[in-house]
């Protein structure tokens, strides 16, 4: 192995956010070795990393974070200095129909990884770092006002958010009990290229393009706080390098949108780009049965990361959404490939429940 300044294990690097993190690190730090461990579930796609896969400082390992023996071998072979842990089951609707898989991957997978890092680093923790990527959903649901801060009490309400909250608590427990050096960040909703089209924005882009109904859950007045995925990746890079051991950082762009307003904006943008008359795709809006336990509003207070680490988003929502729509329109084959096969069965089952 060439002489690299740092060896970093990224888990879930073939997924949506993970692939942007891997690309950023591989390109920005040619003197770091970036190892991407991913099980390649339905959400993992090596096509997301075609542009960096042959870089000399990049390795891909297909494997499961629940595989204790594999993790021990990898820590032994690569002597990791840091772990950036993104691997997870990430879609709330899937967690409602299949909670167990979420508990296994998100809780037991994180514990397995924590133990592997603890064992490998027990002789010398100097310069080591376990970075756990989490979500704002652990804080629960907001009313009309207020923001989630780093000290907001945890109140997760879906199987997904409960599993992520559990994993956050476990990371802190490994820090306090075993002295594991760690940081955690909790980010708001991401959007951008390469997101699997089960999530709102890519799903609706796909459906507008193909003239399919746009299934708006409940009254459409639910609020999310949207951040461009590359800005999240840049925040992760910063926190990995400059975050204070044991600390938590909230990440968000102060960019709240009610779902229905965001959907109307997306329709306007798509109709313009597709050459449709203005408002053409409005008729696709279809109000469907609500998601069970649907959290009303998420909104992040990102002052701490701004004040302490100097991070702020690099693009505004209009720029980010425009680039995202362009990416999906220019990568229709990617979208067509990931929406063939097993996706069809998921779609039929998921949206039959909402008719
Ligand atoms: P994703 O579903 O697109 O990707 C998850 C990746 O993890 C996939 O590549 C998958 O193959 C891999 N994976 C799943 N189980 C695994 C296992 N057992 N072993 C190894 N690899 C496994 O998810 P995402 O949206 O990119 O989210 C990444 C992380 O960021 C998650 O931890 C999620 O909770 C968190 N997060 C996501 C958002 C968001 O808006 N998407 C916001 C905040 C935090
Ligand atoms: O807040 C961060 C979280 O954001 C991440 O931790 C999760 O991994 C990520 O999936 C995302 O969770 P959400 O549930 O907020 O995202 P989703 O894209 O599934 O839904 C966004 C909003 O749109 C939510 O209010 C539900 C609504 N929605 C979603 C879908 C898929 C619809 O109205 N119709 C739909 O078909």
């Amino acid at each position: 192995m060439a002489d690299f300044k740092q060896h970093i294990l990224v888990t879930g690097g073939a997924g949506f956010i993970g692939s942007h993190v891997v690309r950023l690190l591989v390109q920005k730090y040619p003197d770091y070795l970036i190892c991407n461990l991913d099980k390649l579930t339905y959400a993992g796609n090596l096509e997301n990393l075609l542009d960096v896969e042959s870089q000399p400082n990049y390795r891909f390992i297909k494997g499961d974070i629940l595989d204790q023996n594999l993790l021990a071998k990898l820590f032994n072979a690569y002597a990791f200095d840091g772990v950036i842990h993104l691997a997870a089951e990430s879609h709330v609707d899937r967690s409602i129909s299949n909670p167990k898989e979420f508990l296994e991957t998100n809780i037991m997978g994180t514990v397995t990884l924590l133990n592997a890092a603890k064992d490998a680093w027990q002789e010398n923790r100097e310069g080591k770092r376990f970075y756990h990527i989490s979500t704002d959903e652990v804080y629960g649901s907001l009313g009309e006002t207020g923001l989630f801060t780093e000290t907001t009490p945890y109140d997760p309400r879906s199987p997904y958010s409960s599993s992520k909250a559990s994993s956050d608590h476990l990371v802190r427990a490994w820090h306090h009990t075993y002295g594991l050096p760690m940081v955690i960040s909790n980010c708001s909703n991401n959007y951008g290229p390469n997101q699997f089209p089960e999530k709102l924005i890519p799903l609706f882009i796909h459906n507008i393009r193909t003239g399919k109904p746009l299934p708006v859950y409940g009254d459409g007045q639910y609020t999310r706080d949207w951040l461009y995925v590359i800005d999240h990746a840049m925040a992760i890079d910063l926190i990995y390098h400059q975050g204070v051991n044991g600390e938590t950082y909230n990440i968000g762009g102060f960019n709240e949108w009610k779902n229905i307003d965001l959907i109307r904006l997306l329709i306007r943008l798509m109709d313009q780009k597709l050459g449709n008359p203005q408002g053409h795709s409005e008729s696709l809006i279809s109000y469907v049965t609500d998601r069970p336990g649907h959290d009303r509003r998420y909104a992040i207070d990102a002052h701490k990361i701004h004040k302490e680490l100097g991070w702020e988003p690099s693009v505004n929502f209009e720029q980010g959404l425009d680039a995202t729509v362009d990416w999906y329109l220019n990568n229709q084959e990617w979208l067509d490939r990931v929406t063939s096969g097993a996706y069809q069965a998921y779609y039929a089952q998921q949206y039959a429940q909402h008719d």
Side-chain angles (χ1 to χ4, degrees):
M1 209 181 332
D3 204 10
F4 290 103
K5 198 167 140 199
Q6 273 216 39
H7 297 178
I8 301 180
L9 173 65
V10 178
T11 70
F16 167 48
I17 302 170
S19 59
H20 289 280
V21 171
V22 165
R23 175 175 303 99
L24 176 70
L25 296 178
V26 166
Q27 291 178 342
K28 186 169 172 187
Y29 303 104
D31 53 347
Y32 286 12
L33 179 69
I34 307 300
C35 296
N36 171 13
L37 171 66
D38 198 296
K39 185 180 168 186
L40 299 183
T41 67
Y42 78 93
N45 187 347
L46 287 178
E47 259 190 78
N48 296 346
L49 288 166
L50 282 178
D51 56 333
V52 293
E53 69 178 10
S54 53
Q55 292 303 311
N57 64 333
Y58 174 68
R59 306 278 185 283
F60 173 70
I61 302 120
K62 182 175 184 316
D64 194 329
I65 53 166
L66 281 152
D67 186 340
Q68 190 181 326
N69 291 334
L70 172 67
L71 292 181
K73 276 190 206 148
L74 292 177
F75 271 88
N76 192 31
Y78 291 103
F80 297 121
D81 302 289
V83 175
I84 304 181
H85 175 37
L86 296 111
E89 288 295 334
S90 68
H91 190 40
V92 174
D93 291 326
R94 289 188 193 250
S95 84
I96 294 167
S97 41
N98 186 12
K100 218 167 151 232
E101 208 175 347
F102 282 68
L103 309 190
E104 280 158 4
T105 295
N106 298 359
I107 304 176
M108 290 316 295
T110 301
V111 169
T112 312
L113 197 58
L114 283 166
N115 275 338
K118 168 172 98 52
D119 292 349
W121 297 341
Q122 66 188 356
E123 299 297 320
N124 182 8
R125 300 193 197 106
E126 194 58 38
K128 305 290 191 284
R129 167 146 289 185
F130 189 103
Y131 180 4
H132 178 59
I133 307 300
S134 192
T135 168
D136 61 357
E137 301 201 10
V138 299
Y139 299 121
S141 181
L142 291 164
E144 288 289 309
T145 57
L147 301 170
F148 295 134
T149 72
E150 287 79 2
T151 55
T152 299
Y154 275 32
D155 183 23
R157 296 144 51 99
S158 74
Y160 164 68
S161 55
S162 305
S163 70
K164 291 296 292 186
S166 305
S167 62
D168 292 11
H169 290 317
L170 290 162
V171 174
R172 292 193 184 99
W174 259 242
H175 175 64
H176 290 293
T177 310
Y178 306 112
L180 190 81
M182 66 81 179
V183 279
I184 298 179
S185 58
N186 297 78
C187 189
S188 62
N189 286 61
N190 284 213
Y191 70 97
N194 305 96
Q195 187 169 30
F196 195 80
E198 62 192 354
K199 309 277 166 58
L200 181 78
I201 289 182
L203 173 70
F204 278 39
I205 291 175
H206 180 57
N207 285 12
I208 293 169
R209 177 174 73 87
T210 52
K212 282 169 67 177
L214 305 175
V216 180
Y217 294 165
D219 63 3
Q221 300 293 317
Y222 293 83
T223 299
R224 296 292 182 266
D225 183 355
W226 294 93
L227 183 70
Y228 194 50
V229 64
I230 292 170
D231 280 323
H232 188 191
M234 293 198 283
I236 289 173
D237 173 26
L238 194 64
I239 292 170
Y240 177 77
H241 287 96
Q242 291 176 34
V244 174
N245 183 26
E247 287 291 310
T248 294
Y249 299 88
N250 280 356
I251 310 173
F254 293 103
N255 180 39
E256 290 183 50
W257 285 81
K258 287 207 160 81
N259 289 345
I260 193 64
D261 296 336
L262 165 56
I263 291 161
R264 293 218 156 95
L265 174 67
L266 196 56
I267 287 173
R268 276 202 300 282
L269 194 58
M270 290 283 294
D271 277 341
Q272 206 181 351
K273 287 186 190 279
L274 294 170
N276 293 330
Q278 270 308 313
H280 171 84
S281 303
E282 289 267 339
S283 60
L284 297 174
I285 290 177
S286 162
Y287 287 92
V288 298
T289 313
D290 212 346
R291 171 186 280 176
H294 199 169
D295 288 336
R296 193 64 170 166
R297 176 171 164 258
Y298 304 144
I300 278 280
D301 180 342
H303 279 112
K304 177 176 172 178
I305 185 174
H306 178 61
K307 218 170 110 209
E308 295 185 10
L309 303 182
W311 175 88
E312 60 186 8
S314 69
V315 297
N316 65 35
F317 194 48
E318 284 67 26
Q319 293 166 324
L321 199 61
D322 197 72
T324 302
V325 169
D326 283 348
W327 187 86
Y328 283 96
L329 293 179
N330 293 329
N331 288 273
Q332 289 184 8
E333 285 173 8
W334 182 93
L335 204 51
D336 291 339
R337 261 196 300 283
V338 299
T339 52
S340 65
Y343 176 85
Q344 299 294 337
Y346 161 77
Y347 197 87
Q349 198 217 347
Q350 172 60 23
Y351 290 98
Q353 291 169 13
H354 288 282
D355 280 345

